[in-house]
């Protein structure tokens, strides 16, 4: 039976597939959005309030039972230290670090606290091939040393240079980083140790969405005090820790080139290609083989024919 | 080895039986048909071995130190540069040079280019050992090497690029072992076992192409996790995987050109008639293939700069360094390959291959170490890290030599005794 495409079926099918296309596109677009964690907590760091007393460093050291440092926490000569001409960074014995900056346009120093920013879409988590990282509903990005292989890809992936490795240990060399005091405090509705210790209220703990509103409010009410930028609102897809500053962020050690989308987005091109190669390569190369084999067979038959012909001629 | 050939008419061992029809024992086959005393004396007389002893004399204590006192004892243990020479050279440098296995497998088995058959096994061996030693480097570099199988069986993170690398390298190693088993079976005098491998060789070859495409690409894609850390000229988030794949094509071919040259030059006693007589044409053929790949690579590198609109970077100091890498590592091999192939000069093609191999390693070290953290300080590896890297490479050399001397890689195994 001959099938005919009437105008009606054409329209129906066309509309149907158009609708399907729209529906599908909407779906993929949605999956690219950052996951919303309505209960995600965070900390707003107001650098205009920080006096560099390092109480947070001391509190973190005690809470995480880290070895006591060579210099006491009230020793401020430490701010001049730093290896390779760069500022101090997090390492296996320091989950949080305060650094001093002296921007030329203001007459006083600014202090920047660094620790894990607990990203919304953590690069460490998405790069880990053993799922050692978890983003908890409270917003903490925590690490499980029991499955870690020690490949250190998370350290490559973290745009903030936070995860450190315990290189000195032969048997238990694990990744170390701020865990947002998840096991000891956050889970039990307690404030993180550093926040609790801050005498200046420079650290404000709360729901991330609320913190953004508070930060906006502070900027709006005191335009001379703040630059109009909440660092961490969009950087690397958004972080749980947010910063306010009185000078441009690149002057106080922040990387302002970090894209406003999750790090994972730059890897997605490759990840999308994988299933295509897995499915297209086998038939493609099997096809090449059949073509090559057929040509070889044809060549062989031709030669045989020629030989027979030559035999007949003789 | 050369000096024993005139003394003993049965040497070298290239079949299951001696010329007079009596079988070689297993010990004979391991000792290359020499007596233990003769074998030792030729080992001691070889100056390359003196150098190896020196490397291992310092290197083995360093390996012990690494496993007893941790990575910090032999490297700088940098938190800013988590990946050093073990991965920069051992993984990212060795794997592209090992693409030879899948390339020649495809050429011979899939496309039916039987004229490349004499070098197929060498290419497969070069691939297998390169991958195997990339894993050895990894075992030294991983914090907890005893957990190597965790991503396979214990805790899976299938959305990570490294997960792909782990699985593909593991499966591809098995594929390459299967592809080389016929050589081992012949050597063990069990030719009947080859039958099973022959049946699946087409499947193995296609599996090899898939796995190679994906993990050569995945090694490049690993760096797209660090879009803010690597200098933009060395990182194209859209094309990094295809840059790595395409450069692996000429890297693998160049490595086989070099390796076959070294074997024909320094182990000529081992080369079979078929291998020696066809090597000239095969080298030119490989050079031709490599020149296409180098040219493609040059074009896609330029496309990446245009795609990301990074022309202005070329005028900076980093741009100068980038152009230097392209000039030495890509353009010079391209010219030499093309000239060598057109004039039929094997020497030129071999020079091109040597420069291309250095160019690939240089590129991988740039991406992994030198241009990584380009806004921070430069990391200079600890001397112990360099020495350990060399030690592992020396081990690779010894295993490579051990197998080429014994298994039918560059010669054909005689099942019957030879006529005197």
């Amino acid at each position: 039976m001959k099938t005919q495409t009437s105008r009606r079926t054409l329209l129906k099918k066309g509309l149907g597939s158009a609708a399907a296309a729209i529906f599908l596109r909407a779906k993929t677009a949605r999956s690219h959005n950052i996951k919303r964690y309505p209960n995600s907590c965070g900390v707003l760091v107001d650098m205009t309030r920080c006096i560099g007393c390092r109480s947070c460093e001391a509190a973190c050291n005690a809470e995480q039972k880290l070895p006591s440092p060579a210099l006491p926490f009230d020793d401020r000569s430490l701010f001049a230290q730093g290896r390779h001409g760069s500022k101090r960074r997090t390492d296996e014995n320091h989950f949080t670090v305060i650094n001093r900056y002296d921007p030329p346009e203001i007459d006083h120093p600014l202090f920047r606290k660094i620790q894990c920013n607990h990203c919304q879409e953590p690069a460490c988590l998405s790069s880990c091939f053993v799922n050692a990282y978890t983003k908890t509903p409270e917003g903490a990005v925590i690490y499980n040393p029991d499955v870690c292989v020690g490949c250190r890809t998370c350290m490559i992936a973290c745009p903030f240079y936070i995860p450190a490795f315990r290189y000195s240990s032969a048997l238990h060399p694990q990744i170390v980083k701020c865990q947002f005091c998840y096991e000891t405090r956050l889970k039990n509705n307690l404030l993180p140790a550093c926040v609790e210790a801050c005498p200046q209220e420079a650290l404000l703990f709360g729901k991330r969405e609320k913190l953004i509103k508070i930060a906006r409010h502070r900027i709006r009410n005191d335009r001379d005090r703040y630059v109009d930028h909440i660092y961490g609102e969009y950087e690397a897809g958004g972080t749980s820790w947010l910063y306010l500053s009185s000078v441009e962020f690149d002057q106080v050690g922040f990387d302002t080139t970090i894209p406003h989308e999750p790090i994972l987005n730059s890897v997605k091109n490759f990840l999308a290609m994988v299933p295509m190669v897995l499915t297209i390569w086998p038939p493609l190369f099997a096809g090449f083989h059949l073509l090559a084999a057929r040509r070889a067979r044809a060549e062989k038959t031709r030669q045989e024919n020629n030989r027979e012909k030559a035999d007949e001629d003789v | 080895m050369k000096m024993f050939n005139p003394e003993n008419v049965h040497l070298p061992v290239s079949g299951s039986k001696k010329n007079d029809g009596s079988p070689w024992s297993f010990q004979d086959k391991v000792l290359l048909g020499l007596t233990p005393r003769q074998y030792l004396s030729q080992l001691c007389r070889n100056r390359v071995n003196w150098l190896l002893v020196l490397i291992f004399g310092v290197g083995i204590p360093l390996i012990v130190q690494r496993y007893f006192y941790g990575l910090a004892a032999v490297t700088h243990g940098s938190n800013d540069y988590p990946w050093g020479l073990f991965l920069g050279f051992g993984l990212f440098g060795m794997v592209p040079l090992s693409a030879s296995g899948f390339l020649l497998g495809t050429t011979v088995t899939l496309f039916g280019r039987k004229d490349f058959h004499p070098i197929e096994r060498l290419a497969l061996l070069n691939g297998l050992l390169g991958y195997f030693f990339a894993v050895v480097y990894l075992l030294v570099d991983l914090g907890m090497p005893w957990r190597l199988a965790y991503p396979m069986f214990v805790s899976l993170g299938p959305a990570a690029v490294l997960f792909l690398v782990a699985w593909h390298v593991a499966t591809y190693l098995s594929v390459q072992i299967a592809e080389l088993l016929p050589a081992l079976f012949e050597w063990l005098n069990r030719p009947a076992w080859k039958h099973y491998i022959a049946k699946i060789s087409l499947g193995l070859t296609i599996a090899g192409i898939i796995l190679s495409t994906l993990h050569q690409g995945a090694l490049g894609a690993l760096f797209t996790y660090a879009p803010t850390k690597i200098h933009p000229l060395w990182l194209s988030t859209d094309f990094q995987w295809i840059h790595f794949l395409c450069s692996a094509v000429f890297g693998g071919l160049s490595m086989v050109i070099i390796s076959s040259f070294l074997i024909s030059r320094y182990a000529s006693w081992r080369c079979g008639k078929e291998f020696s007589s066809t090597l000239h044409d095969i080298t030119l053929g490989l050079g031709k293939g490599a020149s296409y790949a180098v040219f493609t690579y040059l074009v896609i590198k330029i496309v990446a700069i245009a795609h990301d609109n990074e022309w202005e970077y070329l005028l900076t100091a980093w741009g100068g360094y980038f152009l230097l890498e392209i000039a030495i590592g890509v353009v010079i091999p391209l010219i030499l390959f093309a000239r060598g192939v057109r004039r039929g000069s094997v020497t030129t093609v071999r020079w091109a291959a040597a420069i291309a191999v250095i160019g690939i390693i240089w590129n991988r070290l740039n991406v992994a170490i030198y241009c990584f953290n380009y806004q921070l300080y430069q990391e200079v590896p600890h001397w112990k890290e360099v020495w350990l890297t060399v030690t592992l490479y020396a081990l690779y050399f010894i295993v490579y030599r051990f197998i080429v001397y014994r298994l039918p890689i560059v010669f054909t195994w005689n099942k019957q005794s030879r006529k005197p």
Side-chain angles (χ1 to χ4, degrees), chain A residues 84 89 126 129-131 145 148-153 155-156 158 161 165 167-168 173 263 266-267 269 281 289, chain B residues 69 71-72 77-80 82-83 109-110 141 143-144 147 150 155-157 161-162 213 224-225 229 238 373 377:
Chain A
H84 311 288
R89 62 155 289 168
S126 49
F129 73 153
V130 287
N131 259 344
C148 176
V149 181
C151 71
R152 310 193 289 285
T153 312
M155 296 165 70
I156 295 277
C158 175
Y161 292 92
F165 194 65
Y167 286 101
S168 53
I263 294 295
S266 62
V267 189
N269 278 329
W281 263 212
H289 174 68
Chain B
Y69 300 100
L71 274 169
S78 168
N79 287 321
D80 297 323
W83 291 346
T109 311
L110 214 77
D141 186 76
M144 284 150 281
R147 291 184 179 173
Y150 271 38
S155 178
L156 313 187
V161 172
L162 201 62
T213 312
T224 57
Y225 279 118
K229 294 183 182 178
D238 292 322
N373 286 342
Y377 60 97

Side-chain angles (χ1 to χ4, degrees), chain A residues 156-159 161 255 257 266, chain B residues 80-81 83 92 219-237 240 244 301 308 310 313 318 322 325 363-376:
Chain A
I156 295 277
C158 175
Y161 292 92
D255 187 352
T257 63
S266 62
Chain B
D80 297 323
Y81 286 87
W83 291 346
F92 295 108
L219 287 180
L222 270 181
F223 290 102
T224 57
Y225 279 118
T228 57
K229 294 183 182 178
I230 300 170
H231 192 279
L233 285 174
W234 280 269
L235 182 79
S236 153
T237 50
Q240 195 75 355
F244 269 52
K301 284 291 262 193
D308 296 339
E310 286 161 350
Y313 286 117
W318 283 106
F322 177 79
E325 186 203 299
N363 171 261
R364 299 304 194 263
L365 289 178
N366 278 341
V367 176
I369 301 172
Y370 191 70
C371 307
F372 190 81
N373 286 342
Y374 71 107
Q375 286 157 319
L376 295 185

Side-chain angles (χ1 to χ4, degrees), chain B residues 232-260:
Chain B
L233 285 174
W234 280 269
L235 182 79
S236 153
T237 50
D238 292 322
F239 304 128
Q240 195 75 355
W241 69 271
I242 199 145
H243 284 168
F244 269 52
L245 175 64
C246 186
S247 52
V249 171
F250 66 84
L253 295 177
S254 297
M255 193 64 189
V256 174
I257 294 175
I258 299 295
S259 158
S260 63

Side-chain angles (χ1 to χ4, degrees), chain A residues 153-199:
Chain A
T153 312
C154 49
M155 296 165 70
I156 295 277
C158 175
F160 303 109
Y161 292 92
I162 294 304
F165 194 65
R166 196 177 285 155
Y167 286 101
S168 53
S169 167
L171 292 177
H172 306 286
Q174 57 175 63
I175 293 286
V176 277
K177 75 169 195 71
C178 157
Q179 309 268 332
F180 219 159
C181 291
Y182 181 73
E183 288 296 331
T184 51
R185 290 166 160 269
L186 204 59
K187 230 161 73 174
N188 311 321
N189 289 325
L190 293 171
L191 289 177
C194 55
V195 175
E196 199 178 73
C198 182

Side-chain angles (χ1 to χ4, degrees), chain A residues 151-302:
Chain A
C151 71
R152 310 193 289 285
T153 312
C154 49
M155 296 165 70
I156 295 277
C158 175
F160 303 109
Y161 292 92
I162 294 304
F165 194 65
R166 196 177 285 155
Y167 286 101
S168 53
S169 167
L171 292 177
H172 306 286
Q174 57 175 63
I175 293 286
V176 277
K177 75 169 195 71
C178 157
Q179 309 268 332
F180 219 159
C181 291
Y182 181 73
E183 288 296 331
T184 51
R185 290 166 160 269
L186 204 59
K187 230 161 73 174
N188 311 321
N189 289 325
L190 293 171
L191 289 177
C194 55
V195 175
E196 199 178 73
C198 182
Q200 287 297 105
E201 293 186 359
L203 306 178
L204 180 65
F205 180 87
K207 294 267 187 292
R208 182 178 185 268
E209 281 164 21
K210 205 178 164 198
L211 291 178
I212 291 173
K213 283 186 190 133
I214 293 172
R216 288 236 174 79
H217 187 73
R218 286 192 196 169
I219 294 172
R220 203 181 311 121
N221 283 1
D222 205 342
R223 287 194 184 276
D224 295 336
R225 194 180 169 100
Y226 299 103
V227 290
D228 189 10
H229 182 179
I230 307 168
Y231 192 94
E233 187 179 7
Y234 299 115
E235 277 77 6
T239 58
S240 292
W241 280 62
L242 305 158
Y243 290 83
L244 286 177
S245 167
S246 49
V247 297
E248 289 299 331
F249 279 95
D250 52 358
Q251 293 195 30
V252 277
F254 288 83
D255 187 352
T256 47
T257 63
I258 291 175
H260 283 193
E261 54 178 344
I263 294 295
L264 183 61
N265 280 12
S266 62
V267 189
K268 275 183 178 160
N269 278 329
F270 171 75
L271 292 175
M273 190 268 302
V274 173
M276 292 299 120
V277 168
L278 280 173
T279 44
I280 295 171
W281 263 212
L284 184 68
F285 283 93
F288 284 150
H289 174 68
L290 290 178
L291 285 174
R294 204 178 74 148
R295 208 174 54 186
R297 232 187 357 258
E299 181 71 14
K300 209 172 159 189
T301 339
R302 200 174 56 84

Side-chain angles (χ1 to χ4, degrees), chain B residues 5 64 143 160 216 222 248 355 365 390:
Chain B
N5 279 354
V64 174
Q216 296 282 3
L222 270 181
I355 300 170
L365 289 178
V390 173

